[in-house]
Amino acid sequence: AQTVTQSQPEMSVQEAETVTLSCTYDTSESDYYLFWYKQPPSRQMILVIRQEAYKQQNATENRFSVNFQKAAKSFSLKISDSQLGDAAMYFCAYRSAKGDDKIIFGKGTRLHILP
Amino acid sequence: NAGVMQNPRHLVRRRGQEARLRCSPVKGHSHVYWYRQLPEEGLKFMVYLQKENIIDESGMPKERFSAEFPKEGPSILRIQQVVRGDSAAYFCASSRQRQMNTEAFFGQGTRLTVV
């Protein structure tokens, strides 16, 4: 069974600085999708970034980028120029590409932005 | 363009009562997923439905929980004879089709409190 591990329950970063959130996963599959979701206090789950495992190039979305290391099964999220609105829970997630539709989430990292 | 609508946002039930959680997917989406989030945890998959069909209920507790997605109307997650351990946030997500690279849109969740 696939698992997703986020080893940092909480992190803090100064506004305008850069922070990296860690995520590792375990799977025997070679084709899958990885995601980072943001959950602010409103509880809305917002997709931040998505990575297809078959793509070697790391995904980027404005200030958000990932470091995808397939062999190491690592998928970290880097947030540049942190803003107060980035404060939220961040969940790393995995989805198989083989027909199993469920998304498997990590336990989350709570990110605090210090003004 | 309405997103996934869940209601109610908050639901309080006494032990032994029934809880009914509703989810209206994004217009045009025929795939619905239910997830449960316990405090300080990630989301855990419960059930995947298409119109009038349960596709995967591997995450559903064997007793007291049921889900439906009728031809007309919202998807319903029903919990009978609720217990304190059912207290959680329940999220619904929808997607247009069963393709792994299509995004699943999440609702804002229903927070169920059992007293």
Side-chain angles (χ1 to χ4, degrees):
Chain A
Q2 295 88 5
T3 58
V4 177
T5 302
Q6 293 179 250
S7 58
Q8 305 151 313
E10 284 193 68
M11 292 193 73
S12 296
V13 64
Q14 210 73 37
E15 195 176 2
E17 297 291 308
T18 294
V19 64
T20 298
L21 309 184
S22 302
C23 172
T24 58
Y25 59 94
D26 190 24
T27 183
S28 58
E29 298 175 339
S30 59
D31 202 10
Y32 47 86
Y33 298 85
L34 296 166
F35 310 88
W36 279 97
Y37 280 89
K38 172 185 177 182
Q39 187 180 42
S42 68
R43 286 210 312 266
Q44 181 74 52
M45 292 291 287
I46 302 164
L47 179 64
V48 174
I49 200 163
R50 170 175 47 215
Q51 175 82 41
E52 290 91 342
Y54 63 84
K55 288 187 178 178
Q56 289 190 336
Q57 188 172 7
N58 289 324
T60 64
E61 285 288 339
N62 301 313
R63 298 182 295 108
F64 299 86
S65 61
V66 298
N67 184 2
F68 174 45
Q69 302 286 329
K70 192 172 184 179
K73 294 179 183 172
S74 169
F75 183 61
S76 61
L77 173 70
K78 185 171 88 170
I79 306 174
S80 304
D81 185 26
S82 299
Q83 299 175 0
L84 294 177
D86 295 333
M89 282 289 282
Y90 285 83
F91 293 98
C92 180
Y94 169 101
R95 193 180 199 184
S96 170
K98 273 197 338 187
D100 183 341
D101 294 89
K102 59 172 79 69
I103 300 176
I104 299 165
F105 288 87
K107 289 192 174 184
T109 297
R110 185 175 299 281
L111 179 64
H112 302 277
I113 310 295
L114 307 173
Chain B
N1 221 3
V4 176
M5 303 300 291
Q6 288 188 249
N7 68 82
R9 288 291 312 275
H10 302 275
L11 182 61
V12 179
R13 284 288 176 265
R14 295 188 185 281
R15 279 178 294 171
Q17 289 185 319
E18 178 181 287
R20 284 181 156 247
L21 288 62
R22 292 175 185 76
C23 168
S24 296
V26 174
K27 189 175 180 181
H29 286 191
S30 58
H31 300 250
V32 164
Y33 312 80
W34 285 93
Y35 291 80
R36 176 164 63 175
Q37 184 179 29
L38 295 171
E40 304 305 315
E41 297 273 330
L43 279 67
K44 293 257 189 327
F45 170 79
M46 298 182 75
V47 62
Y48 162 44
L49 310 105
Q50 290 181 33
K51 286 282 186 182
E52 300 183 279
N53 288 306
I54 295 174
I55 306 302
D56 180 354
E57 56 182 347
S58 58
M60 286 276 270
K62 293 285 185 277
E63 295 174 351
R64 302 188 298 107
F65 284 72
S66 61
E68 62 177 12
F69 188 18
K71 189 175 179 182
E72 301 289 338
S75 175
I76 306 284
L77 178 68
R78 184 177 174 213
I79 312 172
Q80 294 178 292
Q81 298 173 332
V82 296
V83 301
R84 288 249 170 90
D86 297 332
S87 295
Y90 292 82
F91 286 87
C92 171
S94 75
S95 63
R96 182 178 296 278
Q97 55 191 346
R98 194 178 185 179
Q99 298 281 350
M100 293 304 106
N101 61 351
T102 56
E103 182 179 346
F105 293 84
F106 281 85
Q108 287 192 285
T110 293
R111 183 176 294 284
L112 172 65
T113 302
V114 179
V115 297

